């Protein structure tokens, strides 16, 4: 209480000396923050704002280019590969994000059971996330090799003629989704924390009411896990739209077969750094920004209906 | 609280001063390229490793002995897409190295961006002329009649065939296919298919180095009109080549072949080394791999079959050295390029590793007596280079994608190649201004 009174006094009767001291403190504060602030400005804010301008020019990094108005954007809408890359990216997002939530929650629930040696199991499922994306790509190229790969070898054992996986136009994206699902350990850890947050009382109450496992999951676990699912949904979506390393490594930047693996950011990179069309690439980046912003906005708006926070 | 604030300013000042010092150092380092003793330091960015790096060090040593006033500083920048990005930022930032090793394929693009130093007059003064080199090497280093790069090494593409497989199916191992028809017949004999799965496939036109460039030229097509510089990917002969590739794919079912082409292993898992493919189009750069992983592989190489069985050809690429625009020590850098491009430098540079761009050097290496290497060398005078245009990469990607689309039945070869021609020529328009 005394503290409060003190601060009130400072605010109401500011002496000139005190004000000067305050200003000096501010300056010092800013100076200390300056490396970070300058860094943010130089390497983040200014380049980002510049890219808006560049998206209206034929900037090529090596040459400043000229102002061409909306022509980059107009060209983009007439570029079949642009649409193909959007289709590929949305295809990946639509399948990968829900699947990753489903498998993530399922895995987390399994790993949340009170069994001996659970730490070992948890580690096993987390380990794949430690594998660098490039190594992951090479590893899965071997596993999914149509003729000598382990996966098709095993399928052949059961008399199934395996698909061409990464070699087939129709199978390449599902293969990529499969590979990406292998690395959901990070999300599982977050789900596990979310599961740990659910108080036992709810389960006890449900037990007393005679709820079975399925009912408990549907009415207690899932609703109380929605804040975590919400977080993973947003992050997963943003991540999926920026898919780059895996398909780039798998196809050596070519997006083969038949451009079925040309993802949005891959095509952006190709335009910016291989065709020297940085203006075009900047336009693509801003379109992606708008798409991701819009989708995130939609998720946020709908979240009021399906995300349940505890204690509310 | 009061007391600690007193120290805040001095600490901050120290920190900022240090920051200044650190940044100052890096600019100072460049300023001292020319030190008091009159020695010029030439910085070179490269992506060389193992034997190629050893060779380069030998070149540098010999060069420095002859030019005591110049000191070479070799800086390794990874040899991939990434190194181009570094060079790109360095040139854009106005602080490039004096020399950089560079894929000749990119000369057209970078020269059109005004990022390479024109070497023509310096070359003329030093007596470096087109006649010294294989014609394609010089052409690929030049853009619009001016020399922008010093060619360093090259390669060529041929038909590799497994002699044991040939014997097994009753083909003459010393008489590889010369015409397209013979190639098809041999491929059919060599293929063993079990359901959808190939136990062994005779040949896949587009596997490894079987690009549309390879077949387009084999069918005597042209990709660029020499008079106008316009791209002619829809040249009837090129269309014919792609049609042949498409028909070949249809016969063996493209989706089944896809198993080989997209996921085939490399190195010791290379299907040619493991005997899963009997013939392939590949370059001299895979010969070393065969020696390393399966030295007893009984194989031969022959010119790429053509429709008539005559007029054999191939195409070549390779490395070069360039002086980026904005380099500080152009004169000294040129001295090194000159040394690199003349016979002495070439001999040191490519020993036991690459094919030189100078015919006499390859002779000196004894390549012409080697049963495998001699085929690669002998074809070089008739070799092509990819068109040197500002949009070389676009043309490459468009051709690759057209090949894939056509062979997978996604539009006819003619339609796809018309589209390539249109797209690339449209992209080239803006450079004509």
């Amino acid at each position: 209480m005394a503290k409060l009174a003190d601060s009130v006094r400072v605010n109401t009767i500011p002496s000139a000396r005190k004000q000067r001291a305050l200003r000096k403190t501010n300056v010092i504060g800013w100076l200390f923050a300056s490396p970070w602030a300058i860094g943010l400005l130089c390497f983040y804010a200014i380049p980002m704002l510049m890219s808006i301008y560049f998206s209206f020019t034929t900037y090529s990094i090596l040459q400043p280019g000229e102002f061409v108005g909306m022509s980059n954007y107009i060209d983009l809408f007439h570029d079949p590969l642009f649409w193909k890359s959007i289709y590929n990216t949305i295809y990946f997002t639509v399948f990968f994000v829900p699947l990753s939530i489903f498998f993530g929650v399922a895995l987390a629930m399994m790993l949340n059971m009170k069994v001996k040696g659970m730490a070992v199991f948890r580690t096993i499922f987390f380990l794949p996330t430690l594998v660098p994306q490039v190594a992951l790509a090479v590893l899965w190229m071997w596993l999914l090799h149509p003729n000598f790969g382990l996966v098709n070898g095993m399928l052949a054992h059961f008399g199934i003629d395996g698909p061409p996986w990464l070699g087939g136009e129709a199978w390449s994206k599902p293969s990529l989704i499969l590979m990406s699902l292998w690395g959901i350990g990070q999300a599982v850890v977050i789900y596990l924390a979310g599961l740990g947050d659910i108080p036992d009382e709810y389960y006890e109450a449900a037990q007393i009411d005679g709820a079975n496992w399925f009912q408990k999951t549907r009415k207690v676990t899932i609703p109380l896990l929605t804040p975590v699912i919400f977080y993973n949904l947003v992050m997963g979506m943003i991540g999926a739209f920026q898919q780059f390393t895996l398909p780039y490594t798998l196809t050596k930047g070519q997006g083969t077969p038949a451009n079925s693996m040309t993802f949005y950011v891959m095509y952006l990179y190709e335009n910016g750094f291989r065709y020297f069309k940085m203006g075009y690439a900047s336009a693509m980046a801003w379109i992606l920004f708008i798409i991701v912003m819009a989708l995130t906005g939609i998720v946020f708006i709908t979240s009021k209906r399906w995300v349940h926070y505890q204690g509310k | 609280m009061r007391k600690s604030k007193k120290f805040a300013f001095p600490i901050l000042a120290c920190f900022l001063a240090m920051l200044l010092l650190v940044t100052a150092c890096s600019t100072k380092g460049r300023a001292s390229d020319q030190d008091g003793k009159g020695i010029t330091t030439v910085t070179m960015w490269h992506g060389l490793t193992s034997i190629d790096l050893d060779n380069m060090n030998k070149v540098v040593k010999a060069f420095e002995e002859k030019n005591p006033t110049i000191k070479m500083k070799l800086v390794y920048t990874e040899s991939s897409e990434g190194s181009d990005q570094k060079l790109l930022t360095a040139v854009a930032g106005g602080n490039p190295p004096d020399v950089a090793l560079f894929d000749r394929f990119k000369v057209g693009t970078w020269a059109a961006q005004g990022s390479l130093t024109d070497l023509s007059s310096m070359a003329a003064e030093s007596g470096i002329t087109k006649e010294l080199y294989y014609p394609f090497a010089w052409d690929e280093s030049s853009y619009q009649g001016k020399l922008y790069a010093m060619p360093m090494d090259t390669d060529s593409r041929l038909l590799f065939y497994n002699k044991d497989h040939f014997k097994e199916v009753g083909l003459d191992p010393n008489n590889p296919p010369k015409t397209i028809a013979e190639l098809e017949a041999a491929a059919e004999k060599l293929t063993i298919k079990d359901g959808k799965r190939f136990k062994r496939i005779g040949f896949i036109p587009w596997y490894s180095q079987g690009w549309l460039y390879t077949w387009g030229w084999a069918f005597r097509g042209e990709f660029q009109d020499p008079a106008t510089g316009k791209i002619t990917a829809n040249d009837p002969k090129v269309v014919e080549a792609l049609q042949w590739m498409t028909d070949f794919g249809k016969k063996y079912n493209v989706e089944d072949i896809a198993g080989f082409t997209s996921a085939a292993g490399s190195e010791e898992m290379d299907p040619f080394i493991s005997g899963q493919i009997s013939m392939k189009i590949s370059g001299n750069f895979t010969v070393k791999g065969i020696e390393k992983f399966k030295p007893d592989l009984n194989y031969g190489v022959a010119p790429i079959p053509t429709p008539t069985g005559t007029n054999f050809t191939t195409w070549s690429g390779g490395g070069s050295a360039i002086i980026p625009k904005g380099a500080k020590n152009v004169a000294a850098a040129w001295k090194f390029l000159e040394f690199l491009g003349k016979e002495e430098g070439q001999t040191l540079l490519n020993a036991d590793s690459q094919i030189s761009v100078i015919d006499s050097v390859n002779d000196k290496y004894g390549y012409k007596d080697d049963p495998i290497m001699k085929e690669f060398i002998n074809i070089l005078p008739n070799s092509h280079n990819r068109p040197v245009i500002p949009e070389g990469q676009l043309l490459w990607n468009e051709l690759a994608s057209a090949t894939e689309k056509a062979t997978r039945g996604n539009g006819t070869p003619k339609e796809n190649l018309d589209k390539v021609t249109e797209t690339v020529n449209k992209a080239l328009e803006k450079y004509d201004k």
Side-chain angles (χ1 to χ4, degrees), chain A residues 67-143:
Chain A
F67 192 83
V68 291
M70 293 299 286
S71 118
N72 278 335
Y73 290 91
I74 295 164
D75 283 353
L76 265 178
F77 287 110
H78 292 108
D79 182 348
L81 201 49
F82 167 77
W83 290 110
K84 178 95 195 176
S85 72
I86 288 202
Y87 166 76
N88 287 338
T89 310
I90 290 178
Y91 181 108
F92 178 78
T93 311
V94 163
F95 286 99
F96 170 71
V97 176
L99 279 174
S100 75
I101 290 174
F102 177 78
F103 282 110
V105 172
L107 258 177
M109 283 170 67
M110 272 194 267
L111 293 175
N112 202 34
M113 288 187 297
K114 299 193 171 43
V115 186
K116 221 175 169 188
M118 191 41 88
V120 177
F121 291 118
R122 287 183 180 181
T123 312
I124 289 172
F125 281 100
F126 187 70
L127 270 179
T129 59
L130 301 179
V131 178
Q133 294 253 299
V134 176
L136 191 146
V138 176
L139 177 76
W140 278 89
M141 265 160 89
W142 281 74
L143 286 175

Side-chain angles (χ1 to χ4, degrees), chain A residues 163-298:
Chain A
W165 296 113
L166 290 162
E169 216 178 316
W171 280 94
S172 57
K173 280 189 285 286
S175 310
L176 191 74
I177 292 167
L178 183 74
M179 292 162 66
S180 304
L181 282 176
W182 190 62
I184 54 169
Q186 207 91 46
V188 170
V189 170
I190 298 171
Y191 288 127
L192 270 174
L195 286 175
D197 255 4
I198 302 173
D200 282 338
E201 289 88 52
Y202 293 128
Y203 291 111
E204 277 163 25
Q207 188 90 41
I208 291 163
D209 286 346
N212 60 25
W213 175 86
F214 182 73
Q215 283 164 325
K216 274 193 272 183
T217 307
R218 225 177 85 88
K219 297 286 182 190
V220 179
T221 315
I222 300 292
L224 289 176
L225 210 55
T226 46
V228 182
I229 292 176
F230 173 57
Y231 169 81
N232 273 331
L233 173 66
V234 173
M235 297 317 272
M237 225 169 57
I238 295 174
F241 267 93
Q242 294 177 344
Q243 179 68 270
F244 178 78
T245 320
L246 258 186
Y248 195 86
T249 324
L250 282 170
T251 66
K252 298 183 185 73
Q254 297 292 324
T256 48
N259 288 325
S260 65
M261 293 275 265
T262 305
F263 285 87
Y264 195 90
V265 182
M266 263 171 81
Y267 188 48
L268 189 158
Y269 176 86
E270 184 108 332
N271 272 311
F273 292 100
R274 292 180 87 181
Y275 299 161
F276 292 129
K277 294 202 288 192
M278 199 42 103
Y280 200 64
S282 300
M284 283 187 78
W286 279 98
I287 291 176
L288 180 66
F289 177 76
I290 290 164
I291 295 175
V292 171
M293 259 324 242
L295 284 175
T296 312
I298 292 170

Side-chain angles (χ1 to χ4, degrees), chain B residues 244-294:
Chain B
W244 172 72
M245 290 168 85
T246 308
D247 294 342
F248 193 103
K250 257 191 212 132
K251 187 170 165 190
Y252 293 92
N253 191 1
V254 173
E255 283 285 322
D256 298 348
I257 296 179
F260 263 92
T261 49
S262 67
S266 54
E267 308 272 273
E268 67 268 43
M269 274 290 286
D270 183 315
F272 186 72
I273 291 181
S274 55
Q276 283 146 338
I277 186 166
S278 305
M279 296 184 285
K280 68 167 180 178
I281 304 291
S282 197
N284 53 292
F285 35 81
T286 51
V287 171
K288 279 256 149 46
I290 297 176
E291 269 167 31
K292 184 173 163 193
F293 297 116
K294 203 171 184 191

Side-chain angles (χ1 to χ4, degrees), chain B residues 222-233:
Chain B
E222 280 304 335
F223 291 87
Q224 189 182 23
D225 183 340
T228 61
K230 285 253 184 294
I231 292 307
T232 57

Side-chain angles (χ1 to χ4, degrees), chain A residues 60 145 148 161 257-258 269-270, chain B residues 85 113 197 263 276 397 404:
Chain A
S60 76
H145 191 288
F148 335 107
D161 212 359
Y269 176 86
E270 184 108 332
Chain B
Q85 247 185 65
Q113 294 286 341
R197 215 173 288 270
Q276 283 146 338
N397 288 8
E404 205 169 2

Side-chain angles (χ1 to χ4, degrees), chain B residues 343-419:
Chain B
E343 211 172 306
E344 189 186 349
Q346 277 288 309
T347 311
L348 290 169
L349 183 66
N350 293 310
D352 286 323
S353 175
Q354 314 258 17
I355 296 180
S356 168
V357 284
I358 299 179
D359 196 52
S360 60
V361 172
N362 290 326
D363 210 0
K364 212 188 278 177
Y365 287 153
Y367 283 161
K368 291 186 180 174
D369 304 320
D370 182 289
I372 299 285
M373 283 313 284
K374 82 171 177 214
E375 296 287 340
F376 287 105
I377 304 295
N378 289 344
I379 197 93
L380 282 177
N382 297 320
S383 186
H384 288 82
N385 65 280
R386 289 160 288 179
V388 186
I389 54 168
E391 297 284 358
Q393 184 70 50
L394 179 69
L395 177 57
W396 175 273
N397 288 8
E398 285 288 318
L399 284 177
S401 133
T403 309
E404 205 169 2
K405 278 188 194 148
T407 50
R408 281 171 189 267
N410 199 344
T412 68
K414 176 94 171 81
E415 283 162 13
N416 276 302
L417 289 172
D418 280 343
K419 218 193 103 246

Side-chain angles (χ1 to χ4, degrees), chain B residues 24-99:
Chain B
C25 275
S26 57
T27 45
K28 232 177 162 179
R30 291 218 43 102
S32 68
D33 276 355
Q34 212 142 12
D35 68 3
K37 289 168 225 145
I39 287 179
T40 313
T41 306
V42 171
T43 312
M44 179 171 94
W45 285 9
H46 68 92
L48 305 171
T49 51
S50 63
I51 182 155
D52 293 311
L53 182 61
D54 293 342
N55 284 343
M56 184 54 89
N57 280 325
K58 279 181 206 156
V59 176
V60 167
K61 203 167 155 240
F63 171 72
E64 284 177 344
E65 269 166 25
K66 285 199 165 169
N67 297 278
T69 57
I70 302 175
K71 179 130 187 47
M72 293 298 295
K73 188 177 152 204
L74 268 54
V75 179
Y76 177 82
T77 53
E78 51 164 342
S79 164
S80 67
E81 287 306 316
S83 71
D84 268 11
Q85 247 185 65
K86 273 180 206 151
L87 193 62
L88 188 67
T89 10
V91 173
N95 197 14
D98 299 309
V99 180

